[in-house]
């Protein structure tokens, strides 16, 4: 989390020099289990201040934030004032967890009540209904966390400075587990290093085949499962040290849960490899295209979202508009049905970044030219064939490397994002930066597209066919 940590240390450096900072409210946004709350605790520890954590998930009553008026029976101050009272200080680190899960009903909108508390211009005189006097919150350092940003109201989101927490790569998970999780779980299960040792290969086997997540919570559970079984043997009186290697992990955790998607064994016609971003990291997608006699109908399957369906329709329109340049007859589209399928049909897929891969697969099927199996691609395609910028490049590139791809085609605008990709991954891959679909086809297809005939050549060949045709009897 180097970028997130750098931004936080900058924030703290300014705070240290100025003494008081009416700065932005930090919002840690990212998938579950990546350490958003842990970093909040670390900030409090570094500053030597009290840490208060309040979960806002499921709160629907405005009084939970602003408090009740004292005329009501059972009136209480709001969560913010209660937290400051419990901490016994007016300058704690105050973490508002799950700010994206605040609801609203007939009792008011809690997210609107948060506007005053989180606005540096207003919170020097925060009004809690229970106190009935303004309270100064300007010395409190507020940190919020969220899994998704879409559900946060725009007015509240405008007051937050978003720091994105990306999911961990397999190498990062391995280092986190080796440095922290193994020691923690050994202690939690009453074990000592002389009772059991999970080897590096065994740990990597668990990460690759038993977890598929952005954070490390599930990985910690799997390590705990292994140590629980060890603890049982130790409690029964077995004093031999257990060394758990990769081939012995299945005895503890059962059959393999996940297999890494690997590249195809040979170059195929009508099949390309796309790159996808998921909350659990990156993955590769196989795009399959089948042609059948018909009336030019496009069928899309594989539980595709609306954006991905539109991307496939745009790909076909682009190919039809340039069919004569690719050596494809216009009549082909009138007599042929095209079926595009993205395997793992039970997994929902969406987004425009598979446009280049879909276009390549359709062109390959129509021209009968295979696609290189070691080439992966990502990029949105416009109707004019331009390849435009996409997101989640780091995760996609790591997934491509894991799957055994050698050449990655990415939009030129994404060249700047490669600085986030680990060096060991960069050294094993060849990157091709493209701005147009013609460049993609040149790299991805095993042969060049046939050159189009000139208009006068086409008319001559048609005349010859008419002369050679037998006369009607």
């Amino acid at each position: 989390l180097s970028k997130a940590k750098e931004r936080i240390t900058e924030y703290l450096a300014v705070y240290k020099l100025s003494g008081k900072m009416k700065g932005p409210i930090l919002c840690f946004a990212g998938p579950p289990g990546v350490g958003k709350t842990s970093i909040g605790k670390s900030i409090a520890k570094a500053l030597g201040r009290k840490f208060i954590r309040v979960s806002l998930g499921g709160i629907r009553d405005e009084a939970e934030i602003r408090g009740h008026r004292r005329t009501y029976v059972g009136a209480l101050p709001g969560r913010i004032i209660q937290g400051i009272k419990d901490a016994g200080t007016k300058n704690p680190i105050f973490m508002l967890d799950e700010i994206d899960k605040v609801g609203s009903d007939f009792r008011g909108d809690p997210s609107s009540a948060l506007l005053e508390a989180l606005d540096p211009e207003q919170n020097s005189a925060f009004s809690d209904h229970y106190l009935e006097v303004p309270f100064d919150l300007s010395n409190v350092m507020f940190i919020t966390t969220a899994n998704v940003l879409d559900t946060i109201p725009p007015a509240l989101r405008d007051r937050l400075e978003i720091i994105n927490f990306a999911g961990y790569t397999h190498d990062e998970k391995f280092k986190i587990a080796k440095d922290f999780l193994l020691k923690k779980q050994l202690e939690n299960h009453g074990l000592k290093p002389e009772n059991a040792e999970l080897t590096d290969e065994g740990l990597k086997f668990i990460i690759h085949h038993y977890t598929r997540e952005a954070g490390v919570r599930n990985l910690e559970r799997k390590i705990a499962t292994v140590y629980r079984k060890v603890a049982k043997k130790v409690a029964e009186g077995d004093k031999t040290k257990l060394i758990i290697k990769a081939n012995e992990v299945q005895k503890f955790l059962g059959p393999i849960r996940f297999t890494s998607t690997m590249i195809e064994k040979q170059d195929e016609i009508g099949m390309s490899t796309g790159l996808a971003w998921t909350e659990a990291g990156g993955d590769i997608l196989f795009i399959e295209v089948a042609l059948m006699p018909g009336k030019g109908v496009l069928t899309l399957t594989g539980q595709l979202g609306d954006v991905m369906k539109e991307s496939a329709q745009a790909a076909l329109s682009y190919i039809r508009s340039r069919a004569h340049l690719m050596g494809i007859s216009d009549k082909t589209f009138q007599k042929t049905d095209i079926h595009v399928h993205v395997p793992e049909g039970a997994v929902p897929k969406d987004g425009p970044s598979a446009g280049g891969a879909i276009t390549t697969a359709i062109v390959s099927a129509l021209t009968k030219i295979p696609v290189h199996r070691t080439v992966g691609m990502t990029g949105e395609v416009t109707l004019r064939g331009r390849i435009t910028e996409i997101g989640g490049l780091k995760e996609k590139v790591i997934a491509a490397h894991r799957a055994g791809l050698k050449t990655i085609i990415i939009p030129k605008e994404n060249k700047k994002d490669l600085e986030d990709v680990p060096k060991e991954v960069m050294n094993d891959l060849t990157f091709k930066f493209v701005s147009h679909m013609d460049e993609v086809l040149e790299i991805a297809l095993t042969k060049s597209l046939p050159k189009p005939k000139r208009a006068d050549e086409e008319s001559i060949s048609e005349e010859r066919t008419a002369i050679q045709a037998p006369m009607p009897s």
Side-chain angles (χ1 to χ4, degrees), residues 282-437:
D283 208 349
I284 66 170
L285 287 177
F286 294 118
I287 314 288
E288 297 178 352
V289 175
L291 305 180
M292 300 146 288
K295 297 178 179 176
V297 177
L298 175 65
T299 308
L300 304 168
T301 55
Q303 209 173 333
L304 310 184
D306 291 340
V307 177
M308 201 164 179
K309 284 180 180 175
E310 288 174 4
S311 190
Q313 286 162 349
L316 182 58
S317 296
Y318 163 73
I319 294 165
R320 290 186 67 176
S321 68
R322 293 174 65 87
H324 62 290
L325 296 173
M326 297 177 184
I328 303 166
S329 167
D330 291 336
K331 293 174 183 175
T332 307
F333 299 102
Q334 296 161 16
K335 299 175 182 176
T336 310
D337 285 351
I338 299 172
H339 187 152
V340 178
H341 178 67
V342 185
E344 290 195 47
V347 181
K349 307 162 195 80
D350 206 358
S353 63
I358 294 170
T359 310
T360 305
I362 296 174
V363 170
S364 167
L366 291 168
T367 58
K368 301 288 186 290
I369 300 173
V371 180
H372 285 293
R373 68 190 185 94
T374 56
V375 172
M377 60 198 84
T378 183
E380 183 180 349
V381 174
T382 69
L383 283 177
R384 291 178 294 158
R386 284 180 57 242
I387 303 289
T388 58
E389 195 173 357
I390 47 87
L393 186 71
K394 177 187 172 186
E395 289 84 358
K396 289 176 179 178
V397 169
I398 290 165
H401 178 256
R402 194 167 62 234
L405 294 171
K406 296 297 175 194
T407 305
I408 311 296
I409 300 171
I410 62 172
K412 266 186 184 165
E413 289 93 338
N414 282 106
K415 194 171 184 177
K416 61 185 186 299
D417 300 319
L418 284 180
E419 63 182 43
D420 299 336
V421 178
K423 290 281 182 287
E424 63 270 16
V425 173
M426 289 278 290
N427 295 337
D428 283 355
L429 296 170
T430 304
F431 291 94
K432 302 285 187 183
F433 304 102
V434 297
S435 56
H436 198 273
M437 197 62 222

Side-chain angles (χ1 to χ4, degrees), residues 262-280:
M262 300 308 287
I263 59 171
E264 287 294 303
K265 291 184 173 58
Q266 60 186 40
D267 299 341
E268 298 273 359
I269 292 172
M271 186 168 189
S272 66
T273 308
L275 307 177
W277 179 90
T278 66
E279 281 198 357

Side-chain angles (χ1 to χ4, degrees), residues 124 437 447:
S124 56
M437 197 62 222
K447 290 192 296 183

Side-chain angles (χ1 to χ4, degrees), residues 27-82:
C27 177
F28 299 161
V34 293
K36 300 187 290 293
T37 308
S38 304
I39 280 200
K41 288 179 183 172
S42 300
I43 292 171
K45 190 178 174 184
L47 291 176
R49 288 158 75 165
K50 293 277 182 72
F51 179 76
I52 307 164
R53 178 180 167 273
V54 171
S55 181
L56 300 179
I59 287 181
R60 291 175 171 275
D61 188 355
E62 190 186 337
E64 294 274 356
I65 307 296
R66 283 191 179 276
H68 304 84
R69 298 198 183 277
R70 273 184 278 178
T71 51
Y72 295 108
V73 176
L76 287 167
R79 296 274 185 103
I80 293 172
I81 297 297
Q82 270 181 27

